[in-house]
Amino acid sequence: MDYEIVAEGLNFPEGPVVLDDGSLIVCEVAGGRLMRIARDGRLSVFAETGGSPSGLAVGPDGAIYCCNNGGFDWDSAAKVPTRTRPLPDASRNSGGGMIQRIDPATGRVETWLDGFEGRRLAGPNDLQFTPDGGFWFSDFGGWVDDGLRHGGLYRVEPDGSVRRPNFGLCINGVGVSPDGGTVYGAATYERWVLEFDASPAAGEQPGKVIADCPGRQFLDSLAIEADGTVAVAAFNENPGILRVNRTTGLRELVPTPDPITTNIAFGGADMRDAYLTFSHGGAVARCRWPAPGLRLPFNL
């Protein structure tokens, strides 16, 4: 695979959103802000979110919605994680996280959701809207001084009500099948790609494992291809993007040169332009993907 670097010098980039004009908005997890990448690669500040933003999506109102885990512990001199990968001792965040709404015209940031049933969200990580205006988001949890705060999978309905189909897993990436009936989540530490029934009647679920990765190939965020194939970022051992067949669980690895490859997002007229975050190297790369990605609703 040939990769073209479209932007570099970013502070641990994640969560790219590809806009219809060819520009991108990307999180700087270590910078506490969102950056715009113009088509020519020029960088500009889109919004100052504070904390550690990691996942973005365009909502039905045209605003940008952001998963913000509230903040990691960072090395104050180097501005990189205290470890080079999100393992427990590098992922401590004590205050809790939130979903933020950003006005694209002004950059104004407001907290849109920060709790569920009286409990503060631990570490919101990624989200995807559905055509009805609702969205799914993952909560990765968070390590605090005395242990782990559990995460899980949440659904926000179009009327603003919230339900939680899973509680107890550190779910990272999240994506929805083309027909909307299935939600996929990447459980980082367990190295599982999970599927969940999207219907409200399904209630709380443990999730069905459709792929189980060996060794220390941890999983990060994911995107869905147009035919429903799950494309999930993998880091540490054998970094790259795993293309997972949702029926058979068979995996095909598209290797990448960055040891902490964290995200993939699709764009372009044919949806075959894939944008990957090379978080360790502070870069965003582009390549031509073997198959088109699923076009997301409400793009700008």
Side-chain angles (χ1 to χ4, degrees), residues 42-189:
R42 287 182 295 115
L43 292 169
S44 60
V45 176
F46 182 77
E48 299 280 358
T49 61
S52 291
S54 61
L56 302 174
V58 181
D61 56 356
I64 303 296
Y65 288 77
C66 173
C67 283
N68 191 321
N69 69 26
F72 283 116
D73 282 344
W74 302 96
D75 182 297
S76 60
K79 288 295 182 186
V80 296
T82 51
R83 301 289 185 270
T84 57
R85 54 186 65 85
L87 294 176
D89 58 350
S91 303
R92 300 172 58 234
N93 104 46
S94 57
M98 70 214 80
I99 307 293
Q100 296 170 309
R101 180 188 181 276
I102 299 99
D103 185 326
T106 65
R108 180 176 180 268
V109 180
E110 60 181 328
T111 297
W112 194 86
L113 177 71
D114 63 4
F116 175 73
E117 294 184 343
R119 182 179 184 271
R120 183 74 184 268
L121 298 174
N125 187 272
D126 206 358
L127 74 165
Q128 183 176 327
F129 276 88
T130 50
D132 61 5
F135 65 91
W136 295 88
F137 75 92
S138 59
D139 190 323
F140 190 73
W143 286 86
V144 294
D145 289 337
D146 59 353
L148 174 67
R149 288 196 61 194
H150 292 301
L153 176 69
Y154 292 78
R155 166 68 176 174
V156 179
E157 301 293 355
D159 64 4
S161 61
V162 185
R163 58 186 172 92
R164 187 175 61 194
N166 177 273
F167 178 66
L169 288 172
C170 293
I171 298 180
N172 197 316
V174 65
V176 184
S177 63
D179 65 5
T182 303
V183 184
Y184 299 98
T188 296
Y189 301 136

Side-chain angles (χ1 to χ4, degrees), residues 234-247:
F235 64 95
N236 199 21
E237 290 181 357
N238 300 315
I241 305 295
L242 285 168
R243 302 179 69 208
V244 179
N245 184 298
R246 56 182 175 162
T247 302

